[in-house]
Amino acid sequence: MSKIVLSHNGAFVLSDEEGNMNKHYHGLYALDTRFVKNISLEIGKEKLLGHIEPDHKTSISHILIGDSTILLRKRELLNNWRYREELTFYNMSKEPIKIKIKYALEVLFEDIFEVRGSHKPIERKIVKEQTSNGVKYTYTGIDGIKRELEIKAEGFEFKSNYLTAEISLGPLGKERISVEFPPRICIKNPPFLIRSDFDFKLEEIVITNNTEINNIFKASLRDLESLTVLTNYGLTVFAGIPYFMCLFGRDSIITSLFLLPYFPEYAKGTLKVLSQLQGKKFNPKREEEPGKIPHEFRFGELSQAGLMPFNPYYGTIDATPLYLILAGEYVKWTEDYKTIRELKETLNKALEWLFMKLEEGEGYIRYSQTSPYVLMNQGWKDSKEGVPDEYGEPTKSAIALAEVQGYAYKALLDMAELSDVLDFEESTLREEAERLKRRFNKDFWIEEEKFYAIALNGDNKPSKVISSNPGHLLFTGIAEHEEEIAERLFEKDMFSGWGIRTLSSREKAYNPFSYHNGSIWAHDNALIALGLAKIGEIEKAAFLGARLLKAATLMNFQLPELFSGVESEIPIPVPRANVPQAWSAASPFAFLTAMLGLTPEGVSANPQLPEGLEKAEIKGITIRGAKYRLTAERRGERIEVEVKEVD
């Protein structure tokens, strides 16, 4: 059966289509804790007739019991992470019917890293007590945090580890029973709060003449809503389900960057939330450094107890320059200088970190593996094999990634434009950026390949592989050989027909089904498309976006975390990919931005629409702090764009 995902405000449920939770990752989760698993409804002979999901919080299964009873099993995730099942039975016959029901479940308070197999299971003492309308389970963890789960039921009787009910249905009769699970986590003084009063829906702002493309944007909004969290600092987005349902610096920043013209509130909230987690001291176990923006923050027991380093974890080399870029882009699109002034101290400290790393890395931003907890690689390709050399071996530390130098360059220039708010002189920032650009183009350019290296190793020797990483340079402006990048990425060894591969098919480390060495990532292609548009290659950006959107139509209108780089008739999934995944869900918006050549100054003189798309309307887009309605329509060989300010 298909995996069904319900998700709302930091909680999620994984089940099969009937609503049972008997697979390895199935269960009810909230903030890195699996509260319940092995839920199964036992009602005798049954057959699934159909299943619908009206939204990301609701699932309704239509089940035939025996020959004459219909069950509608409605499951919902509500505010306060409450999971509720409502079972409605219909007697289709004119004879009375009795149905015996057993509702099995297992309450366990597992940490997400136990579920993932990254940590040995903890022995837990769970206290169970009767309440006025159900049963409450309480567990105080090794982190000192109390976690609770109450089971409230109507029409059921409680047994030791299951519920029972007996339904009597008269002729053509109807009966309804229900069970509800409200979990609770009592964390004192967290760095940010997740608010319970959350009833959120993103406005459907992109409407086209093409039903398939409309469905892609609808699916993207649904996925984004399912990963959106309302904090006391505003909206932000968690990374993906099931592995990464938590705050990730890089993921939240890039997702917010893609959504900036359409939903700038994500950038504002993400900037503010990550500001609260900025590094304050040197802590090698967590890779914390003063001014550094975190990689990952977990509320789970193992992380809060310090047995896993994710409270928070700072093992990322790119989140800090990306944070500065997001701040710079945010103010360009919104002109919200008030928020930037509020973040002044955070931005100053992030810049101090940037200068410190450039000095430590002999002119480059580098990372090394210095702790058993540290990710093998600390750019976005963070798997062990994600940064290979030309011999197919991992690049040796200390690694300077190509795209990270580009991010640092753009961050310095973006902050130079905000120097009147910051404690840094504009000339200092611009001069440092220019020095970095000169060094980079001398050391990273591979003359025989006419392309940039993926990285420099600890000996300052380039890893001479062809990868997608230099594609990000187009967005940053650091590369002197932009045309060569734009051409090379579309050669057959890099372009599968469905998108740009993470690694050339000619490389020794190539594997199209791997995580980072030949697969296709939507956000990677979206950043490349934005870069292509920035250098004036809007037709290439539109072509790339069109291929990814076509791939989405063949994958249930969703762009997963990644898919295979195999050249094939249809895009081939990679089983481990997270769906929904935040930056993949936001990628269609980035492709739209690139196709139209949208910038904070307005629209390109050469906007494009993919084949089959004759008209597109964006009902609300932010440009220089004002809201506009944009209409793009194909007229012969040209795309004509009309932009009107709205109230």
Side-chain angles (χ1 to χ4, degrees):
M1 288 188 177
S2 299
K3 177 183 76 174
I4 303 302
V5 180
L6 306 180
S7 182
H8 180 56
N9 203 28
F12 67 96
V13 169
L14 296 181
S15 71
D16 63 24
E17 286 183 320
E18 282 195 11
N20 295 324
M21 306 178 193
N22 297 316
K23 300 294 185 183
H24 178 72
Y25 276 99
H26 285 180
L28 164 63
Y29 298 76
L31 297 189
D32 305 308
T33 297
R34 179 160 68 174
F35 286 85
V36 183
K37 71 174 183 179
N38 290 335
I39 286 180
S40 61
L41 186 61
E42 300 171 19
I43 47 178
K45 183 182 176 184
E46 60 187 80
K47 179 182 179 182
L48 179 67
L49 297 178
H51 166 263
I52 62 168
E53 295 172 69
D55 54 46
H56 61 90
K57 300 181 290 186
T58 309
S59 171
I60 303 173
S61 301
H62 185 199
I63 299 168
L64 175 66
I65 305 170
D67 298 319
S68 55
T69 306
I70 292 290
L71 164 63
L72 288 188
R73 186 179 185 181
K74 181 179 182 181
R75 304 182 302 117
E76 296 178 284
L77 258 181
L78 306 169
N79 280 343
N80 296 309
W81 307 323
R82 288 180 298 134
Y83 173 63
R84 176 179 172 82
E85 292 206 28
E86 189 176 87
L87 310 176
T88 307
F89 297 85
Y90 297 86
N91 183 358
M92 296 188 293
S93 76
K94 293 188 177 181
E95 301 295 327
I97 293 174
K98 285 190 176 182
I99 300 172
K100 291 185 176 181
I101 302 162
K102 180 180 178 182
Y103 189 98
L105 64 130
E106 185 178 355
V107 178
L108 61 171
F109 299 99
E110 278 181 302
D111 187 277
I112 184 65
F113 288 104
E114 293 174 271
V115 180
R116 291 172 62 174
S118 304
H119 194 280
K120 64 183 180 181
I122 295 173
E123 290 187 16
R124 293 182 169 86
K125 183 180 179 181
I126 299 172
V127 177
K128 178 182 176 184
E129 59 181 307
Q130 295 291 133
T131 64
S132 58
N133 59 350
V135 176
K136 184 168 78 172
Y137 297 83
T138 303
Y139 167 65
T140 300
I142 55 178
D143 56 357
I145 294 171
K146 184 166 71 173
R147 292 169 174 84
E148 298 175 342
L149 180 73
E150 192 171 359
I151 301 177
K152 302 176 181 179
E154 294 182 7
F156 283 100
E157 290 185 17
F158 287 86
K159 302 295 182 181
S160 59
N161 61 345
Y162 61 92
L163 310 177
T164 63
E166 186 170 311
I167 301 294
S168 296
L169 293 170
L172 302 177
K174 169 186 171 183
E175 189 70 35
R176 179 177 293 149
I177 59 177
S178 66
V179 59
E180 188 173 293
F181 301 82
R184 188 163 176 249
I185 303 173
C186 309
I187 300 177
K188 295 180 180 178
N189 302 316
F192 61 92
L193 298 171
I194 295 180
R195 292 172 50 181
S196 60
D197 55 332
F198 187 58
D199 188 14
F200 175 73
K201 190 166 182 64
L202 288 168
E203 182 187 359
E204 190 177 327
I205 63 171
V206 179
I207 306 294
T208 79
N209 70 297
N210 186 302
T211 302
E212 289 185 341
I213 290 179
N214 289 342
N215 286 338
I216 291 169
F217 280 97
K218 287 177 183 177
S220 289
L221 291 177
R222 175 180 169 141
D223 285 353
L224 288 166
E225 286 174 3
S226 74
L227 297 170
T228 297
V229 176
L230 178 62
T231 77
N232 54 323
Y233 296 101
L235 291 180
T236 190
V237 63
F238 283 0
I241 295 174
Y243 304 117
F244 308 124
M245 190 59 167
C246 68
L247 184 65
F248 273 77
R250 179 193 305 121
D251 297 58
S252 301
I253 289 168
I254 290 177
T255 300
S256 300
L257 190 65
F258 288 173
L259 297 175
L260 238 177
Y262 312 94
F263 305 107
E265 57 268 35
Y266 280 97
K268 183 176 181 178
T270 295
L271 288 167
K272 288 189 170 186
V273 170
L274 290 175
S275 173
Q276 301 304 306
L277 296 166
Q278 187 176 34
K280 295 179 174 60
K281 59 186 179 181
F282 291 97
N283 182 333
K285 181 178 178 180
R286 296 195 304 178
E287 289 290 294
E288 182 180 4
E289 295 171 336
K292 196 174 186 182
I293 298 300
H295 174 61
E296 179 177 358
F297 177 79
R298 298 274 186 177
F299 284 102
E301 179 181 0
L302 292 172
S303 297
Q304 293 296 316
L307 296 180
M308 301 294 279
F310 303 106
N311 179 28
Y313 174 55
Y314 293 85
T316 168
I317 199 65
D318 55 7
T320 308
L322 284 169
Y323 182 92
L324 294 168
I325 289 171
L326 181 62
E329 290 293 314
Y330 173 74
V331 78
K332 289 174 191 175
W333 287 94
T334 66
E335 297 192 345
D336 178 10
Y337 285 93
K338 179 177 181 292
T339 295
I340 297 302
R341 284 191 289 270
E342 290 172 0
L343 295 169
K344 174 182 176 178
E345 185 178 355
T346 302
L347 298 174
N348 279 327
K349 288 179 178 177
L351 274 170
E352 288 170 7
W353 178 88
L354 206 65
F355 276 94
M356 177 186 73
K357 299 309 284 187
L358 285 168
E359 184 177 351
E360 283 181 4
E362 298 177 339
Y364 292 117
I365 307 291
R366 298 178 184 270
Y367 64 90
S368 301
Q369 291 83 40
T370 57
S371 159
Y373 291 101
V374 171
L375 291 165
M376 193 67 180
N377 285 298
Q378 294 188 23
W380 83 262
K381 295 179 181 177
D382 57 7
S383 58
K384 183 178 180 180
E385 69 281 356
V387 186
D389 62 20
E390 60 267 38
Y391 306 106
E393 299 297 324
T395 297
K396 295 178 181 178
S397 291
I399 298 170
L401 288 169
E403 74 276 16
V404 174
Q405 315 317 311
Y407 301 157
Y409 172 78
K410 179 170 169 53
L412 289 164
L413 292 183
D414 284 352
M415 292 303 98
E417 295 183 23
L418 296 176
S419 59
D420 57 334
V421 176
L422 306 174
D423 294 338
F424 286 80
E425 294 289 336
E426 179 180 1
S427 59
T428 301
L429 296 168
R430 292 193 183 279
E431 286 166 10
E432 188 64 34
E434 287 308 308
R435 283 194 293 269
L436 176 56
K437 183 172 185 175
R438 286 195 298 271
R439 279 193 305 273
F440 176 83
N441 284 281
K442 177 172 67 74
D443 294 342
F444 277 77
W445 180 250
I446 311 169
E447 182 59 34
E448 62 268 31
E449 295 285 356
K450 301 297 182 188
F451 205 61
Y452 289 92
I454 189 174
L456 299 184
N457 67 18
D459 297 322
N460 267 345
K461 293 181 178 178
S463 288
K464 298 179 180 181
V465 299
I466 305 300
S467 70
S468 64
N469 299 56
H472 295 207
L473 304 178
L474 301 177
F475 172 71
T476 70
I478 196 174
E480 293 176 351
H481 302 277
E482 292 176 334
E483 289 184 13
E484 289 91 334
I485 295 173
E487 291 297 325
R488 186 67 183 83
L489 291 173
F490 288 92
E491 291 185 20
K492 193 171 182 179
D493 62 314
M494 282 300 293
F495 186 72
S496 77
W498 297 110
I500 293 169
R501 299 181 176 102
T502 47
L503 190 69
S504 164
S505 61
R506 298 177 188 171
E507 298 297 341
K508 290 184 179 179
Y510 173 69
N511 177 352
F513 296 98
S514 67
Y515 206 47
H516 293 126
N517 287 10
S519 53
I520 294 169
W521 287 63
H523 91 279
D524 188 30
N525 280 259
L527 270 171
I528 291 169
L530 289 172
L532 288 166
K534 190 170 183 178
I535 68 168
E537 293 280 5
I538 292 179
E539 291 184 7
K540 280 189 171 70
F543 172 73
L544 182 59
R547 295 314 297 159
L548 268 292
L549 293 176
K550 183 61 179 178
T553 66
L554 299 170
M555 294 187 288
N556 197 32
F557 302 104
Q558 286 177 298
L559 284 169
E561 181 183 20
L562 69 150
F563 59 95
S564 169
V566 168
E567 186 177 345
S568 57
E569 289 184 53
I570 60 171
I572 299 176
V574 173
R576 69 171 291 180
N578 281 250
V579 183
Q581 214 251 5
W583 58 17
S584 293
S587 290
F589 290 93
F591 289 129
L592 184 61
T593 300
M595 290 174 183
L596 295 175
L598 287 175
T599 71
E601 284 70 45
V603 184
S604 163
N606 182 34
Q608 300 291 313
L609 290 175
E611 187 178 343
L613 188 59
E614 302 299 319
K615 185 176 181 179
E617 181 182 2
I618 306 172
K619 293 194 289 184
I621 189 167
T622 299
I623 301 175
R624 291 292 186 187
K627 282 284 187 183
Y628 294 88
R629 179 188 296 268
L630 184 152
T631 304
E633 189 168 4
R634 193 182 303 278
R635 304 243 185 221
E637 297 296 315
R638 286 186 52 78
I639 306 297
E640 293 187 4
V641 176
E642 181 181 65
V643 182
K644 288 186 177 179
E645 190 169 357
V646 296
D647 296 332

